[in-house]
Amino acid sequence: VGLGDNNAGYCKREARDEGKENIRKAVGAACRVLQANKMDRIYVDSFGDPESAAEAAALALWANQQLRGSSKRPIKVPDIVMYGDCDWKKWRIGLEKAEAQNFARALTEAPSNLMTPRKFAYSVVQSLCKTSVNVTLRGENWLKEHNMNAFLCNTKGSPQPPFLLEIDYSGCDPAIPPIILIGKGMTFNSGGLCIKTCEEMKYMRGDMAGAAVVVATFKAVANLGLPINLRGLIPLGENMPGGTASRPRDIIKSTSGKTVLVAKQDFDGNLLLSDTLCYAQQFRPKYIVSLTTMSKEIQTSFDLAASGIFTSNEKLWQLLKTAAVHSGDRLWKLPLWEVFEREIKDLTSADLSNHTKFSRGKPCSNSKFLNQFICKPNWAHIDIMGTMHEDGKTLYLRKGMSGRPTRTIIEFLGQIAYPPLDLIKQQKYDESD
C-alpha cells in the first residue's frame, strides 16, 4: 500500500479527494499491521494531511469488543501519537471526527436487548452530560398530546415505550436559526405484523444507525466548540409484532392532519420520521437533514460506495457534496420528481400511503412521502441503508457497523460554522439579489 499519485486530489469522476483517501488507506493498512503485532504505541506521520492521517489511524484501530472483559479482549488497541512537527489543530479535528464515528459504531453494534429505546436515551445522556449539550426526553404521553400518531403507530406492538429525544447545542447567537438533524432511532425492526425473515433481521439492530450518527455528531460538535446552533430530534422505538401492533391497511392521522394508509408495516422509517419532520418546523430551522436506514434498493444500487441523498435545495446539496468530497464518505443525489408523488398519493381512502403501489422507484417514492411533511425546501434526506454495515474491504474500517456518514455530517457543519471564502462571497451575492 502506497500513497499513490503525488498529484492526486479532487477527482470529479470519483466524487472525492483521492489524495486524502490515499492517505487514509495507507495509514489504516499500516496501523492494522502494527496492531496485529501487539504494538503499545504507534507514531503516525501526517503525510501532508494531519486530519486524514488521524482519522484513518483512529478508525482502523477500533474494534467491537466493549462487551468483553478487559482482560479477555483479543485485539489490543495501541495509543496513537502524532509524529513530527505538523498542524496540531488539524490532527485534533481528525481525531474528534474518528472518535465520533467510532462512538456511532459502538452504539449501532450494541445488541437490541441491551440497546432498547430507554437504554439508548440513557446512553446519550451519559455521553453528552459533560458537554455543553442539553438533552430532553419526551415520553409516550407527550407524543399522544401532540397527536404524533404516525410515530406511535410504529411502536404499538412492542412493550418498550417510545420516546422523542431532543438534543440542543447553542454555539452562537440564539437568534440565528438552528440546523436540525433528525436520526431514525428504531432500535430493532422486526417488520411488525409484516414480519421479516431471520436473514432480513440479521442487521436490524442497526436500524437506529441514523440516530447513532446524530448523537455522535453532537458529541464532536460540542468537543470542537463549533459556533453554530444545532438541534437534534431522534424518534426512538421498536417495531414488533405484538398483539397491539398496527395492522396493514390501518389509516392513521398524523400530527400534520394528513391521513396515512399503513400499506405495509415493514416500511417504518417514513412513518417514524413524518411526525418528527412536522415537529421540526416549529424551530424555524435554516436546514433540516434527516438520516435513515430505509430502502434496501439503495444498498442494491450503491452497496458501500455511497449513501443516497434526496433534496430540492441546491445550496444545501452543494454543502453536503463538498463535505462528502473531503471526508471520502460519498453521497449521491437522487431525484424528488413529481412523478414519484403519484405512487404515494393516488388513493381514495387516505391522503397518503407509506408504501408504493409498485416495486419500482421505492427510495424516491419513500423520500417523496417524507417531503409531504416539509413546509420549506430546506430539507435533505440521506438514506444510509447501503453504508450501515461495512464488509471489511475498506482498509481503515473493520467488518461490522460502519458509523457512516458521521464525518461527512461533521464536515458539513464545520463548513457552515467556518465558511470558505468562496462560499461567503456567494452568500453576499445571494443577499444582494
Side-chain angles (χ1 to χ4, degrees), residues 180-183 273 277 288-292 370 379-383:
I180 293 184
L181 302 180
I182 300 176
L273 260 68
L277 285 167
I288 301 174
V289 178
S290 56
L291 299 108
T292 68
L370 293 176
W379 167 69
H381 175 64
I382 303 176
D383 193 330

Side-chain angles (χ1 to χ4, degrees), residues 106-107 110-117 119-121 123 187-188 208 238:
L107 287 174
S112 296
N113 64 316
L114 300 180
M115 193 55 75
T116 62
K119 290 179 180 177
F120 183 95
S123 297
T187 56
F188 190 77
M208 36 66 80
E238 277 188 345

Side-chain angles (χ1 to χ4, degrees), residues 202-241:
K202 186 176 180 180
Y203 296 124
M204 283 299 99
R205 70 184 187 280
D207 212 26
M208 36 66 80
V213 169
V214 170
V215 174
T217 299
F218 269 87
K219 191 173 182 180
V221 167
N223 289 339
L224 292 170
L226 295 185
I228 57 172
N229 292 330
L230 189 62
R231 182 172 287 271
L233 300 176
I234 299 175
L236 291 167
E238 277 188 345
N239 186 13
M240 301 294 283

